[in-house]
Amino acid sequence: MPVSSRSFCLALLVSALSAFAIPAPGGEISTVAGTGERGFDGDSGPGKQAELNNPFGVIVGPDGDVYFCDTGNHVIRKISRKSGKITTVAGTGGVKGYAGDGGPATEAKLFEPYELRFHPGGDLYWVEMQNHLIRKLDARTGIVSTVAGTGEQGFSGDGGPATKATFNRPHSIVFDAAGENLFICDIGNQRIRRLSLETGIVETWCGNGKKDPTPDGAKISPDTPLKGPRALDRDGKGDLWLALREGNEVYRIDMKAGTLHHVAGTGEKGFTGNGGPAKKATLSGPKGVAISPDDRMIYLADTESHTVRAIDLSKNPPTLELIAGDGKKGDGPDAPDPLKCRMARLHGVGVDPITGDLYIGDSETNKIRKITGLPGGKSPKKLGDFETKRFEIGGRKALVTAPEKAAPGNPWMWRCRFYGAFPAADIALLERGWHIAFIDVANEFGGPKAMAAFDEFYAHVTGDEWKLHPKPVMEGFSRGGLPAMNWAIANPDKVAGVYIDAPVLDIHSWPKPSGGKIWQTCLAAHGLTAETADTWKGPLDNLKALASSGVPILSVCGGADPVVPFAENSGILEMRYQKLGGDLTVIVKAACDHHPHSLHDPTPIVEWAERVVADQAGN
C-alpha cells in the first residue's frame, strides 16, 4: 500500500476512534422522569410515570429537588429528591401564553420556558423564549412577576428599565457570584445583556449583534462579536462559561480581567476530537453548559450530536471527553455505561453541587436522565464519623461532637433541638474544625426551664473541660427557633450569631390554639393558660437587644411552608429586625415545604457562620 494511502487510512481510524472516547471515570445513567410519551400528565405521582414534553433546562435547587423546564408543556416542574414525585411549580400545563403576573405561579401562563436559575436569596428565575422575557417566582409570596422584557420581540431599552426593554428569543440566564447581576443570552440579538437587580436597569454587556467569530482574549464589550450566545454557567471562581451555538465553541469569561478565552471547538460543526485537545475538537450546536462541583469538568449538551461531552480542565491542554451517547439519535437504553444510552437533541444539563451527579434534559425523548459516579462530587462525612462525647447536666442528656482538629479559638455551633437531623451544615463545620454541642430541652418551647438548662450547659462547655469559644452560633430548626432566639435575646453578649431554619417564632402560629395536647404542653412550659396565652411575648417582641448588640441572624425557610408559615414567623422577623437596623440574612427556598431543613449545598450557611465568628474576633 502506498504511504499516502496508509496515512489516509490511519487518519480515518483516528477520526473514528475519537468519536468513541472512554468517558470520565465512573458513571451510570438512568431515567428519573418521563415515560417517553409526549404529553402532560402525572403530577403528584412518580416522576418516572409522568409524561413530559420536550424538557430543556434542568438544575438542582437549594432544597435538593430537581427543577426543570417542561418546555413543550409551558411549565416549570420539579422532582422531589426524597419521594421521586413530580409537581408543577409554575405555569398551566399545556397552555401557552403570557399572563398571570401578580398572581400565584401555578395560575400563570408561560410560553416555552427554556432555562431556570435560583437566586442566592431563593427566588426562582426563568427565561421564556417565545415571550422574549425573564420572569421570577418570589419565594416569599409565591407570586410571579416579569423582571425583563415586554413580551414583544426586538432589541431596545439599553440603559433603561429592563421591564421596558425588548429581547429577541433569549435562551439562557445566570447570576454573578454575588447575586447582584443577571446575565441573559439574548441569542436572537447576538448579545449577552446584563440586568442589575438593584437598579432594574438592563444594558448590553457583550456582543455587537453580528454573527462573527469571537477573537481569543477579546474584551467583554458591546463591540466584541458573539456567534450565537446560547448557554451560560458560572464556576466556583466566579468566571462565566459561554457556549456558542452557531459558533460551535466554548469560551471562559474571566470576570476579573474582563476578557473572553477560547477553550473548546474549532468553530466548525461536527463530532470529532473526543479524547484529544478540546480546542481541536468539533462541536455540534451546543445548547447547554454545566460545571462539576470541583470546577474540573465543563459539561456540554452537544445537541445535534445527541451527546453529553465535557471539557476536562485537569488535563494540559484541556481535553474534550465523551460522557454519554454515541453520536446517534435514539432513546436509551438506560444502562450502566452512559455511552450505550442514546439520546435525542438534548438541550439542558445541570449538576448536583454536592454529589456531582449530572441531570440531562433529553428533549426529544421527553425524559430527564441522570448520570451518577462522575468525577468532582463531594463526599462529606457523616456525624458518626466524628467523636461524640455524651454526658448529663442537671439530669438532661447532653453531648459535644468534636472535629478531628479544632479550629483556632474552638468555634462551635449550638444545636438547640433535633441533633442529627438535616446535618449538612453541622458536618461541613466539623470538617472545618468546629464543635457541635447539644443539650436536650424537648417539649419546653424555649421556656424558663429550658433557659436555665442552657445557662448551665453554656457554663460547662465554655469551662475548663471543653474550653469552647465564649460566643457560639446558635442553631434552631423548627420549634428549636424558640430556645435559640430566647437564649440569644437574654444573652446577646454571649453569642456570635443565630442561625434559624424554618423557625417557630410565635407560638400562636405553631403549635397555635388548635394544636391540642402540644399547645397545652407549650402553654405549661411558659406558665400560661388558655386564658393568659395572649399575654405571651416571644422573640418577635424582643428583638431590640439583639439588634442593638449587633448580633447577626441567618434565617433559612421554605417559601411554601404550611406548618410554620414564613409570613407569620421569619417574614415578621425580617420586617422588624431590618427596621431596628439589625444584621439579617434571609434565604427563602421557592416552592419548598417545611422540610427539608438546611440547604442541599450548605456553603452559604457555613460561610455565614465563619464570617460572624471572625467578625467577633476582630471586635
Side-chain angles (χ1 to χ4, degrees):
M1 181 183 293
V3 173
S4 59
S5 297
R6 288 199 302 269
S7 299
F8 177 72
C9 290
L10 180 60
L12 284 177
L13 177 61
V14 170
S15 177
L17 289 175
S18 71
F20 298 96
I22 298 173
E28 293 188 2
I29 195 165
S30 62
T31 296
V32 296
T35 63
E37 294 295 322
R38 179 174 294 185
F40 181 72
D41 192 18
D43 265 8
S44 300
K48 291 182 180 180
Q49 297 176 17
E51 291 180 355
L52 316 181
N53 186 350
N54 232 353
F56 275 33
V58 56
I59 58 172
V60 175
D63 54 0
D65 290 348
V66 178
Y67 293 74
F68 67 95
C69 294
D70 195 356
T71 302
N73 282 322
H74 315 290
V75 295
I76 308 292
R77 302 172 89 176
K78 77 169 183 175
I79 308 158
S80 168
R81 171 176 294 273
K82 181 178 180 180
S83 68
K85 292 184 178 180
I86 190 170
T87 53
T88 295
V89 173
T92 307
V95 180
K96 64 185 178 183
Y98 177 36
D101 276 7
T106 51
E107 296 179 10
K109 290 183 174 62
L110 285 53
F111 196 175
E112 291 197 3
Y114 260 43
E115 194 170 277
L116 67 172
R117 299 285 180 182
F118 278 93
H119 183 269
D123 292 340
L124 176 61
Y125 287 68
W126 65 86
V127 57
E128 294 179 35
M129 191 273 283
Q130 292 286 9
N131 275 333
H132 314 287
L133 48 75
I134 291 84
R135 298 167 95 176
K136 81 167 183 178
L137 167 60
D138 188 302
R140 289 164 171 76
T141 64
I143 298 300
V144 167
S145 62
T146 298
V147 297
T150 65
E152 298 295 324
Q153 184 176 10
F155 175 64
S156 66
D158 272 2
T163 51
K164 295 184 178 180
T166 56
F167 296 79
N168 187 354
R169 292 174 290 133
H171 276 45
S172 178
I173 52 176
V174 73
F175 293 99
D176 62 13
E180 296 173 350
N181 296 290
L182 180 68
F183 296 93
I184 304 162
C185 280
D186 192 6
I187 193 170
N189 287 318
Q190 309 301 322
R191 291 173 168 90
I192 298 174
R193 299 170 82 178
R194 178 173 63 185
L195 166 61
S196 167
L197 298 187
E198 180 181 4
T199 66
I201 300 299
V202 71
E203 62 182 351
T204 293
W205 185 63
C206 192
N208 61 9
K210 298 179 181 179
K211 281 189 179 182
D212 293 332
T214 303
D216 192 11
K219 292 289 186 181
I220 299 172
S221 167
D223 296 325
T224 295
L226 299 175
K227 194 174 182 180
R230 173 57 178 85
L232 283 168
D233 199 7
R234 189 187 73 246
D235 66 23
K237 298 184 293 294
D239 289 343
L240 303 187
W241 289 78
L242 170 66
L244 299 176
R245 186 180 66 187
E246 284 77 20
N248 293 296
E249 293 177 304
V250 176
Y251 282 76
R252 178 179 65 86
I253 304 178
D254 189 317
M255 297 297 281
K256 291 183 179 179
T259 50
L260 292 86
H261 301 275
H262 176 229
V263 180
T266 64
E268 297 295 322
K269 184 177 180 180
F271 181 55
T272 62
N274 292 320
K279 287 185 177 181
K280 295 183 179 180
T282 56
L283 305 178
S284 193
K287 295 180 177 63
V289 59
I291 303 169
S292 64
D294 62 354
D295 289 344
R296 169 186 165 182
M297 308 294 283
I298 311 299
Y299 296 106
L300 305 173
D302 199 38
T303 306
E304 307 308 334
S305 73
H306 317 290
T307 63
V308 175
R309 302 167 84 182
I311 305 164
D312 188 344
L313 298 178
S314 70
K315 306 292 181 57
N316 187 18
T319 59
L320 190 74
E321 305 294 341
L322 182 61
I323 302 298
D326 64 1
K328 296 180 181 179
K329 189 176 183 179
D331 182 4
D334 285 345
D337 184 358
L339 293 180
K340 295 180 180 179
C341 179
R342 289 181 176 173
M343 294 171 286
R345 300 198 72 245
L346 59 156
H347 279 71
V349 284
V351 170
D352 186 310
I354 298 300
T355 65
D357 294 344
L358 182 70
Y359 291 87
I360 304 164
D362 192 1
S363 305
E364 293 188 4
T365 69
N366 306 299
K367 293 179 178 179
I368 301 294
R369 301 186 192 268
K370 178 175 75 170
I371 304 178
T372 60
L374 294 169
K378 304 171 186 176
S379 299
K381 294 183 177 181
K382 299 178 180 179
L383 276 178
D385 295 330
F386 298 90
E387 182 180 359
T388 296
K389 182 176 180 180
R390 300 177 185 273
F391 49 94
E392 288 191 0
I393 293 181
R396 296 172 182 268
K397 294 179 180 179
L399 60 84
V400 174
T401 300
E404 293 179 1
K405 182 180 179 181
N410 281 342
W412 57 297
M413 182 78 87
W414 186 342
R415 176 65 81 104
C416 296
R417 284 296 314 274
F418 309 114
Y419 173 83
F422 304 99
D426 292 355
I427 292 170
L429 287 168
L430 282 163
E431 292 181 320
R432 296 189 183 207
W434 284 50
H435 289 73
I436 308 298
F438 168 83
I439 185 169
D440 188 4
V441 291
N443 298 320
E444 293 179 9
F445 300 91
K449 290 183 179 180
M451 296 299 94
F454 272 21
D455 289 341
E456 190 174 359
F457 180 69
Y458 173 84
H460 178 76
V461 297
T462 58
D464 291 339
E465 180 178 354
W466 287 100
K467 297 181 180 179
L468 297 185
H469 195 284
K471 291 190 175 184
V473 172
M474 310 299 291
E475 182 182 30
F477 282 13
S478 191
R479 69 187 78 176
L482 289 171
M485 288 291 290
N486 283 347
W487 198 83
I489 287 167
N491 301 276
D493 58 329
K494 294 180 180 178
V495 295
V498 183
Y499 159 45
I500 44 180
D501 199 296
V504 175
L505 300 176
D506 183 352
I507 63 173
H508 295 92
S509 174
W510 190 95
K512 61 190 174 185
S514 61
K517 288 184 178 180
I518 197 167
W519 170 247
Q520 296 301 323
T521 301
C522 176
L523 292 180
H526 288 277
L528 300 170
T529 65
E531 290 73 24
T532 61
D534 287 343
T535 66
W536 179 83
K537 298 295 183 182
L540 296 176
D541 305 300
N542 297 290
L543 295 170
K544 188 174 181 179
L546 289 180
S548 60
S549 298
V551 176
I553 299 175
L554 168 64
S555 180
V556 177
C557 307
D561 186 344
V563 180
V564 184
F566 173 82
E568 298 174 5
N569 294 274
S570 287
I572 297 174
L573 169 69
E574 183 175 36
M575 177 181 63
R576 293 182 180 177
Y577 209 59
Q578 289 179 345
K579 187 175 182 180
L580 290 168
D583 180 349
L584 177 67
T585 301
V586 179
I587 299 174
V588 185
K589 297 170 285 187
C592 182
D593 207 326
H594 187 62
H595 290 157
H597 291 303
S598 189
L599 297 173
H600 180 60
D601 180 357
T603 301
I605 300 169
V606 172
E607 291 181 346
W608 175 88
E610 291 194 318
R611 175 181 66 81
V612 300
V613 169
D615 287 348
Q616 291 293 331
N619 290 336

